[in-house]
Amino acid sequence: MNNNLLKGGIVTLLLLALATIGLTFAQQRPTLTPEQLERLTIRPVPGKAGLYLMPGCDGNMSGGNIAIRVTEEGVIIVDNKYSYSYENITRQVASVTDQPIRYVLNTHHHFDHAGSNASFMPSAQVIGHENVRINMLRNSGPSASPDGAPRITFNDKTSVHLGDAEVQAFHLGCGHTNGDSVILFPDLRTIHTGDLFIWGDRLDGTTMAPFIDYANGGCAGDWVATLDQILALDFDTVIPGHGPLLRKAEIRIFRDKFEQMVTRIRTLMNNGTSRNDIAAALDISDLNWPLAPDRVQAIYDELSQ
Ligand SMILES: [Zn+2]
């Protein structure tokens, strides 16, 4: 092994160790630079009056994107980052409106999207798909506090009407988990997709890839069909689960990449590639989605059922 390879190996090990620590202590508040804090500060969504974004671009440090809809009768927010994020969210929302946060919608149960549900409950209604509640109650530990399980749940669709706004939540099938919702602001033609659609790099510069949470009912096989249903909705502006503000065209790109990934795995399986060999045989370098071998094997397991 030459020196560079050795160095590369050590760096990889260090990064893996850091990633593990990050996951274990994900609920601890990270120290962010002024530049990072600026990137994560609430801002108006251009051209969409009354809609704001509190950005988030990863699971470990910045959490998920929060959409904030301000009306003259109160505020509706979509997602709420980590268990320690409540004060930060309420402070930032108070910087753009005097109205109280009255409704909190969850795109799914993960700790980086629904982590501060419990803190909002005394003053707001928290609403999620029925599997958000079931997953939170089943999972223990900081990743899903049972205290934060939504008290109001729905199956396929629900709406919140507040002031002059209607906000619609749709459960369109499985994908990232079995409890994913997309949240549509129909009058503003804007959607928050949760982690059914993510895009770009984390704060640390590494690239996000779709995550199938098999322990919570996620699936690769139907994810594209779920995306097709999202694309059938009427919107032009997209707030992904993590990543920058985007357009409908980027969901189509993501959908096509996902279809490519699943098709290539299926083709290898049809040609007799074994579970042990599937990750090494799969070439998805052109998709720019770093997928660990065990995650490719998990997709293999799902598709072989
Ligand atoms: Zn998630």
Side-chain angles (χ1 to χ4, degrees):
M1 187 183 283
N2 73 28
N3 226 353
N4 278 343
L5 267 179
L6 187 63
K7 272 187 209 155
I10 290 169
V11 168
T12 305
L13 280 176
L14 276 174
L15 285 175
L16 275 175
L18 282 172
T20 309
I21 292 166
L23 277 179
T24 309
F25 297 103
Q27 293 283 279
Q28 289 189 353
R29 198 185 300 258
T31 305
L32 300 173
T33 66
E35 291 76 20
Q36 288 172 329
L37 286 171
E38 165 60 27
R39 276 184 64 188
L40 302 177
T41 301
I42 193 168
R43 66 208 55 207
V45 176
K48 308 292 182 182
L51 188 63
Y52 297 81
L53 171 68
M54 251 185 87
C57 59
D58 55 54
N60 275 346
M61 293 172 72
S62 62
N65 279 315
I66 303 178
I68 299 113
R69 180 71 200 265
V70 176
T71 82
E72 70 275 18
E73 292 184 19
V75 177
I76 303 164
I77 68 170
V78 180
D79 282 356
N80 53 48
K81 298 186 189 276
Y82 304 104
S83 62
Y84 56 78
S85 300
Y86 174 77
E87 277 82 21
N88 184 28
I89 295 166
T90 50
R91 184 168 20 88
Q92 293 209 36
V93 170
S95 74
V96 299
T97 179
D98 294 334
Q99 292 288 335
I101 297 171
R102 293 185 57 191
Y103 294 92
V104 175
L105 279 73
N106 294 153
T107 60
H108 61 298
H109 73 283
H110 283 157
F111 66 94
D112 53 331
H113 297 264
S116 58
N117 272 5
S119 301
F120 281 100
M121 278 181 175
S123 56
Q125 297 291 353
V126 176
I127 303 171
H129 184 263
E130 59 189 12
N131 285 338
V132 171
R133 179 175 171 84
I134 289 168
N135 290 338
M136 280 192 177
L137 293 178
R138 186 183 62 249
N139 299 338
S140 58
S143 67
S145 160
D147 298 342
R151 295 194 181 121
I152 300 175
T153 63
F154 62 94
N155 188 348
D156 297 326
K157 184 187 176 232
T158 195
S159 294
V160 174
H161 298 262
L162 189 65
D164 58 357
E166 178 182 4
V167 181
Q168 300 172 339
F170 297 90
H171 172 70
L172 299 172
C174 89
H176 179 59
T177 70
N178 61 3
D180 301 312
S181 295
V182 296
I183 315 297
L184 182 67
F185 303 92
D187 57 330
L188 303 179
R189 302 188 68 226
T190 300
I191 198 168
H192 188 314
T193 62
D195 285 355
L196 285 167
F197 171 64
I198 56 168
W199 192 273
D201 294 341
R202 301 181 180 89
L203 271 189
D204 67 8
T206 58
T207 300
M208 303 268 302
F211 173 59
I212 302 144
D213 184 355
Y214 284 107
N216 291 288
C219 70
D222 289 335
W223 192 316
V224 169
T226 303
L227 290 168
D228 282 336
Q229 292 203 60
I230 296 174
L231 286 164
L233 298 171
D234 182 27
F235 62 92
D236 58 24
T237 299
V238 180
I239 299 170
H242 307 269
L245 276 176
L246 295 165
R247 317 290 288 182
K248 203 168 195 172
E250 277 87 17
I251 299 187
R252 287 196 196 94
I253 293 169
F254 181 94
R255 177 223 174 274
D256 291 347
K257 285 170 62 169
F258 208 107
E259 186 173 53
Q260 274 293 320
M261 179 179 74
V262 171
T263 301
R264 289 181 205 177
I265 294 172
R266 278 195 206 279
T267 303
L268 287 170
M269 291 170 68
N270 291 340
N271 292 340
T273 306
S274 72
R275 186 181 192 278
N276 274 342
D277 295 336
I278 193 83
L282 177 68
D283 182 3
I284 50 169
S285 49
D286 56 318
L287 305 183
N288 194 24
W289 281 347
L291 274 194
D294 61 329
R295 288 168 66 179
V296 180
Q297 287 181 333
I299 299 173
Y300 176 102
D301 292 339
E302 177 198 335
L303 300 180
S304 49
Q305 280 165 13

